[in-house]
Amino acid sequence: MPRRSVVRWSHLLFVAAFFGLLMAPGLAGHWWHGVQIAENRTLAPPPQRPRSWQQLLAWPKQADDYLADHFGGRLDMVVAFNRARYRLFGETPGEQAVFGQHGRLFLTSHDAIHPYSLIGFICGVDVADKQLDAAAADLDVFFRQAKSWATESYLMSVPTAPALYGEDLAPWLQSQCSATTMDRLLPRLQHGDLANHLLYPRAAMAEAKSRGQVIPLTNFHWQGVGAEAAAVAFAEGRLGLSPRMTLPTRVEVEPSDIGQMIAGIPTANAVRLPDYLAAGVQYCLGPACFPALGAAANVIADLSSLRSPQAGDKKLLILSDSFGTALVGWFAPYFGSVWHFSVSNLGRLSADQREAFRRQVFADYRPDVVLYVLHDGSIHYWPKLAAQNLWGP
Amino acid sequence: MVFSSPTFLFYFFPLFFVLYFVSGRSNAVIFLLSLLFYAWGGLTHVPLLLFYIIVNYAAGLAVGAAPHKRWILALGVALNLSLLLLFKYLGFLEDQAQTLAAWLGGGPLPQFRLALPLGISFFTFQGISYLVDISRGDVRPQRSLLKFAMYKTMFPQLIAGPIVRYRQIAGKIDGRRVSLFRLRHGAMLFALGLGQKCLLANTVAFPADAIFRLPDGQLTAGTAWLGTACYMVQIFFDFAGYSNMAIGMGHMMGFSFPANFNRPYCAQSVTEFWRRWHMSLSTWFRDYLYLPLGGNRGGVWRTYRNLILVFLLCGLWHGANWTFAVWGLYQGCFLIIERLGVARVLAGLWRPLRHLYLLLVVAAGWVIFRADSLSQAGHFFAVMSGWGEGSPGLAPVARYLTPSVVTALAAAAVITAMPQWSERRLRADLRRVLATIPRARAAVDGTVAIAFGAGSLALVAAAAFSLATNTYNPFIYFRF
C-alpha cells in the first residue's frame, strides 16, 4: 500500500474510532449495562416533562443527573478505571476505604464527606477529654437502663482494625494511633457494676491473630476467628460457661463488606465460619426467622437466631450495631438459643411495633443474658442512639 | 455544561458534530446548539446573551457606518462594560459599601444581588474587541445577524475562552472546509485537552482543594507547599486542557482559534510568563487597554501606571474579590520590578535560577489567587515560611502525597519542561535519524500517525473512564 494511503487510512480509522468511543456510551445506554454492582442508592430518575418555569429551570440538572447515571457501560468503565488505578498505584478511589500496608483495607469513615473521621476517632486523634467524659456518662446511663430491663446485661465494645492491626495502617497514621480512644475511655468506666459488665476483647482477639485474620483483610466487620475469640472471652472468661460441644468450622470465600466502594478491585476473603449443618445447629438469618414480629422484622432487617440443642437451655439475646451478626454462631457451644437484632433501624418502627418488639424479646423470650454489642468507632454515639431506639416512646 | 461531563462528552458532542456535518457545516446549527449549550447551564441568562448579541450587532453596524463618530463606539463599549459591572461586580461593590457603612456606624444598606451569568467576562470582552476592531478599520462589521450570533455564541469558546476576536475567524464565517487531516488534528487536540483535564488536573485538584480547606491549626509548611504545587499544576492543566479542547473543536468545525498557552511555567521572568499564560486575555488587555493608555510610550512613570492599572483590572476580570485584585497588583508590581533592573540581574543568572525565581513568584501568586480571603493567603504565606505551623493531625503531607499525585506532579513537570513536540516534528526527526535506511524511513509517516492516533484514543478512553468513576457514588453498607 502506498505510504500516503496508509496515513490516510490511519486518519480515517482514528476519526471513526474517536467518534465511536464518544458515541457508544450515549447510544448504548439502554442495553450496555455492564457489570452489576450494588451502589446502595437509587439512581437518578428520568427528568420529568417540565410544567412550570421552575421545573424548566431545574430540568437540565435532572437530565445531567440522569445521563450521568445511565450512560452505557458506566459500571464497566468504573471497574476498569478502579482496577487500573489499583494496579498502577495501589490506590482506591476516594478516601473512604483505603489500603494500608500488607494488603489491609481500612474503612476510614462512615460517610464520604468526612474522610478519616472514623479512624481518627478510634485512634483518639483530636478526641478531647470532655468528649470521653460525655461518652462514659452516656454508657453509664445506657447500662443502668439496660439493667432495668434485664439484670444480666453486658456491654461488649468490639475493637476494629485500627486498634487490632495498627501495624497495617499507613505509616503516617501509625504514629497517630499509638493510644486509642478505648485506651483512654476504659479507665473512665472502671467503676461500680459497669466495670464487671463491660468487655473490650482486644487482648483475646490480638492473641487469636496467630490463628488467622481476626478481621478479614478487606473487611470492616469482623468475621470468623475474631468473633470466635470474643465469644469465647465473653462466655468463658466473663460468664464462666463451659462449651457443651465442639463447633465444627468450614472455610468460605466471602466478598468484602466494603468491596462495593472500590468496585473492580479484588477484595474477597477466605473466612472460617461455623459449620451449622455438621454441628446440628439451626441457624437462621433475616426477617423470616421471626414471623411473630411481622412487618417489623423487615424494618429491622439485620436479625438472626440460632438453636443449639446440645448446648442446653440457656438463652442469649444480642442487641447490637452492625457487629452482632458475625458473633451469633460462635455462641452455639454455650447457649441453647440465641436471638440477635440490630437496633439501628428500631427507630423506624411505630410505637406499637416497638412495644411489641420489647415485649417479645424481653418478656416473652426471657433471655438469661443480654449482650449489647457495639464497635469502638460508635462508642460515642451508639449508647444514646440505641437507648432511644430500644426504650424510647 | 462543562466539556468534561458525561452530558457533553457522550451526548452533546457527538450530536453536534453529526448535525453539523449533516447540515453541511451550517452556521445555524452552531448557533442553535450553542444556545442549547448555554441554556443548559443558565437558562435564565439566555435573554442576556441574546441582548448582548443584538446590542453588539447593531453597534457594530453603527460604528462601521460612521467610524469617525467616536461616541457610538464609546456607547457600545460602555454598554458592554456596564452589563459586566452590573452582573459581576455589583455584589462586590455592595459588600464594600456595607463594610464602609458599618464602619461609619450606619445600618445595613439595601442589596440588589444578581446571579453571575456564565461566560459574561468572555463575551463582554469579545463584544468590545469587535467594536474597537471595526472602529480601527481592522475588520468590517458583520451584516448577517445569524452569522454574528453564531460568532458570539460558538459554544467551544463561549464560557471559558479562549477569547476569540471576530477578525480571527471572520474569514471562515461564510464558508469553511474541514479536511480529514484537520478533523483528526482537532480530535487529537481535544483528546489531549480532555486528558490534561481529567487525568492530570483532576488528580491534583483533590489534594489542592483539601489542603486549601484545612483549618488554620492543621496547616504545616509541608502541606502548604504541597497544596500550592498541586494548585499550580491544577490551574494550568485545567485551563490549558479546556483551551485545547476548545481549540480542537474549533479545528473540527473548520475554525482556527488562537492559542492560549505556550509552556508558561518554562518562562524565565514574570514578563515572559505573561507572554505565555492565557495569551488570548493578555493580548486583549495589551491591544485594548495597555496600548490605548499609551503603553510604554509616555515615559517611565506612565508605563508603570499603565501596567498597574492593566493588571489590577486583569485581576478583577478573574473575579470580584480582593484576592483577585491583589493578585493582579502583585503581577503588575513584578512586571515593574523587572523593568526597574531585576530583569538585567536575572539575565546574568544561571538559567535554572531564573526559572526558580519565576516559579516561586508565580506560586506565591497562585496562593493569593486560590485563597478565599487575603487573611487566608497571609496565613498560608506565614506557614509556608515556617511561622505559625499547626499540628497536622489527620492531614499530614503523606496523606495527600499519594502515588497517583506524585505521578501526576512528575508527569506535569515533564510535560511542562518538554520542548514543543508535535507529530510533524517527530516525523521529521525520525526521517532524519532513519535517513540511511530507506524502508524504515518510508514507514515513518504511517507509524507515527498510528502511534499518535492510538495514544489519543487511549487518552479519550482513560479520561472517559475517570469521568465514569466520578459518577459512581455508592452509599455505604446499609447496616452501618
Side-chain angles (χ1 to χ4, degrees), chain B residues 240-310:
Chain B
Y242 194 95
S243 294
N244 279 334
M245 284 190 268
I247 296 167
M249 283 188 282
H251 279 302
M252 294 169 80
M253 292 158 71
F255 294 103
S256 296
F257 295 163
N260 223 10
F261 294 91
N262 178 22
R263 300 192 306 139
Y265 292 151
C266 282
Q268 307 282 306
S269 66
V270 179
T271 310
E272 187 190 353
F273 175 80
W274 277 102
R275 285 200 285 265
R276 293 165 170 266
W277 178 271
H278 201 173
M279 294 184 296
S280 65
L281 178 70
S282 52
T283 53
W284 192 100
F285 271 107
R286 182 196 64 200
D287 295 345
Y288 301 105
L289 187 61
Y290 182 68
L291 293 179
L293 283 171
N296 55 5
R297 293 189 305 273
V300 172
W301 291 109
R302 255 186 107 150
T303 303
Y304 297 162
R305 184 207 67 183
N306 293 346
L307 280 172
I308 285 291
L309 186 63
V310 165

Side-chain angles (χ1 to χ4, degrees), chain A residues 3 6-8 10-15 17-19 21-23 25-27 29 37-41 53 56-57 59-61 63-64 67-72 74-78 80-82 85 89 91 93 95-96 107 109-111 115-117 119-120 125-126 172-173 176 220-221 257-258 260-263 301-302 321-322 325 342 344-345 381, chain B residues 1 5-11 13-15 17-18 21 39-41 43-44 180-181 183-188 190-191 194 199 206 218 252 392-396 398-400 402-405 407 423 427 431 441-447 449-450 452-454 456-458 460-462 464-469 471-480:
Chain A
R3 201 172 69 197
V6 173
V7 173
R8 190 174 168 74
S10 80
H11 288 187
L12 253 178
L13 271 175
F14 168 78
V15 170
F18 175 81
F19 277 103
L21 259 178
L22 293 182
M23 286 171 107
L27 291 176
I37 311 165
E39 282 185 75
N40 288 328
R41 70 180 175 107
W53 177 245
L56 185 66
L57 290 179
W59 197 89
K61 168 80 172 70
D64 270 337
L67 295 175
D69 273 355
H70 293 88
F71 61 83
R74 182 175 71 97
L75 294 178
D76 282 333
M77 294 186 198
V78 171
F81 192 77
N82 286 353
R85 185 172 170 174
F89 305 117
E91 288 174 11
E95 282 195 304
Q96 208 180 345
L107 180 74
S109 63
H110 283 317
D111 64 67
Y116 286 99
S117 56
I119 284 193
V125 181
D126 297 330
W172 68 267
L173 256 176
Q176 306 272 358
F220 170 59
H221 291 91
D257 57 357
I258 47 177
Q260 87 278 14
M261 304 185 73
I262 53 170
D302 182 11
D321 62 5
S322 57
T325 313
S342 163
S344 302
N345 290 350
Y381 65 83
Chain B
M1 204 185 304
S5 68
T7 307
F8 180 84
L9 214 54
F10 302 142
Y11 299 91
F13 180 94
L15 174 73
F17 278 102
V18 167
F21 286 115
W40 201 270
L43 186 60
T44 46
L180 178 62
F181 177 79
L183 191 62
R184 172 180 176 271
H185 176 65
M188 283 174 52
F190 182 87
L194 189 64
L199 303 178
F206 169 70
Q218 281 190 17
M252 294 169 80
L394 290 168
R399 173 175 163 189
Y400 301 111
T402 58
S404 60
V405 170
T407 308
E423 189 177 357
R427 257 196 328 252
R431 279 206 205 113
R441 192 168 180 268
V444 163
D445 285 8
T447 310
I450 290 167
F452 267 73
S456 300
L457 291 176
V460 172
F465 285 15
S466 81
L467 274 183
T469 308
T471 68
Y472 182 69
N473 182 21
F475 278 134
I476 203 161
Y477 215 48
F478 70 94
R479 288 189 302 164
F480 297 171

Side-chain angles (χ1 to χ4, degrees), chain B residues 218-229:
Chain B
Q218 281 190 17
L219 195 65
T220 63
T223 44
W225 277 103
L226 177 65
T228 306

Side-chain angles (χ1 to χ4, degrees), chain B residues 89-128:
Chain B
Y89 301 104
L90 185 65
F92 176 65
L93 294 173
E94 277 177 1
D95 286 345
Q96 309 319 309
Q98 294 283 11
T99 310
L100 188 65
W103 188 68
L104 294 171
L109 302 171
Q111 294 202 320
F112 308 95
R113 301 248 158 187
L114 293 168
L116 182 67
L118 276 174
I120 189 168
S121 309
F122 288 93
F123 56 75
T124 299
F125 273 32
Q126 248 188 356
I128 293 170

Side-chain angles (χ1 to χ4, degrees), chain A residues 275-288:
Chain A
D275 188 341
Y276 298 113
L277 204 62
V281 171
Q282 296 155 30
Y283 175 72
C284 179
L285 176 70

Side-chain angles (χ1 to χ4, degrees), chain A residues 32-338:
Chain A
W32 182 15
H33 296 301
V35 293
Q36 296 299 307
I37 311 165
E39 282 185 75
N40 288 328
R41 70 180 175 107
T42 308
L43 299 183
Q48 297 301 306
R49 201 173 72 190
R51 295 180 190 284
S52 66
W53 177 245
Q54 287 309 317
Q55 286 179 3
L56 185 66
L57 290 179
W59 197 89
K61 168 80 172 70
Q62 290 169 6
D64 270 337
D65 291 346
Y66 175 76
L67 295 175
D69 273 355
H70 293 88
F71 61 83
R74 182 175 71 97
L75 294 178
D76 282 333
M77 294 186 198
V78 171
V79 163
F81 192 77
N82 286 353
R83 196 168 288 162
R85 185 172 170 174
Y86 175 66
R87 294 260 156 84
L88 284 171
F89 305 117
E91 288 174 11
T92 56
E95 282 195 304
Q96 208 180 345
V98 297
F99 281 101
Q101 301 187 90
H102 316 120
R104 183 165 297 281
L105 184 67
F106 289 93
L107 180 74
T108 72
S109 63
H110 283 317
D111 64 67
I113 303 161
H114 305 99
Y116 286 99
S117 56
L118 177 63
I119 284 193
F121 178 79
I122 292 167
C123 291
V125 181
D126 297 330
V127 178
D129 284 339
K130 220 167 122 182
Q131 203 178 347
L132 292 174
D133 291 340
D138 289 344
L139 274 168
D140 208 41
V141 170
F142 178 82
F143 179 66
R144 274 187 273 121
Q145 278 179 298
K147 290 268 285 183
S148 71
W149 282 85
T151 325
E152 280 299 292
S153 290
Y154 293 84
L155 274 170
M156 181 192 284
S157 171
V158 181
T160 49
L164 285 163
Y165 288 100
E167 67 278 14
D168 287 353
L169 286 165
W172 68 267
L173 256 176
Q174 281 183 22
S175 57
Q176 306 272 358
C177 213
S178 49
T180 65
T181 290
M182 283 306 292
D183 290 333
R184 291 165 59 199
L185 182 63
L186 283 172
R188 290 171 161 83
L189 303 170
Q190 297 304 317
H191 57 80
D193 212 10
L194 178 58
N196 300 322
H197 290 80
L198 177 72
L199 183 69
Y200 181 56
R202 185 160 74 172
M205 289 175 73
E207 198 185 316
K209 280 161 78 172
S210 59
R211 300 200 301 273
Q213 296 288 345
V214 293
I215 294 174
L217 261 182
T218 59
N219 257 30
F220 170 59
H221 291 91
W222 60 356
Q223 273 285 19
V225 180
E228 181 190 22
V232 171
F234 176 64
E236 297 183 17
R238 188 57 55 101
L239 301 180
L241 300 176
S242 300
R244 302 278 193 95
M245 59 183 281
T246 305
L247 188 63
T249 59
R250 62 196 157 77
V251 174
E252 276 196 15
V253 175
E254 291 205 330
S256 158
D257 57 357
I258 47 177
Q260 87 278 14
M261 304 185 73
I262 53 170
I265 299 174
T267 53
N269 293 295
V271 291
R272 196 158 66 84
L273 299 171
D275 188 341
Y276 298 113
L277 204 62
V281 171
Q282 296 155 30
Y283 175 72
C284 179
L285 176 70
C289 311
F290 297 94
L293 286 175
N298 289 317
V299 177
I300 298 169
D302 182 11
L303 62 179
S304 54
S305 70
L306 175 148
R307 282 197 57 75
S308 179
Q310 296 178 58
D313 53 6
K314 263 189 171 309
K315 289 189 279 191
L316 171 67
L317 171 65
I318 300 176
L319 296 166
S320 70
D321 62 5
S322 57
F323 277 72
T325 313
L327 193 59
V328 173
W330 300 106
F331 283 118
Y334 308 99
F335 292 92
S337 170
V338 182

Side-chain angles (χ1 to χ4, degrees), chain B residues 125-157:
Chain B
F125 273 32
Q126 248 188 356
I128 293 170
S129 68
Y130 173 68
L131 299 179
V132 174
D133 285 355
I134 292 173
S135 78
R136 287 174 178 171
D138 291 341
V139 72
R140 285 159 61 179
Q142 176 55 256
R143 305 219 161 259
S144 156
L145 180 59
L146 172 66
K147 287 173 184 171
F148 182 73
M150 184 279 288
Y151 156 68
K152 281 293 282 181
T153 56
M154 216 189 292
F155 73 88
Q157 50 87 58

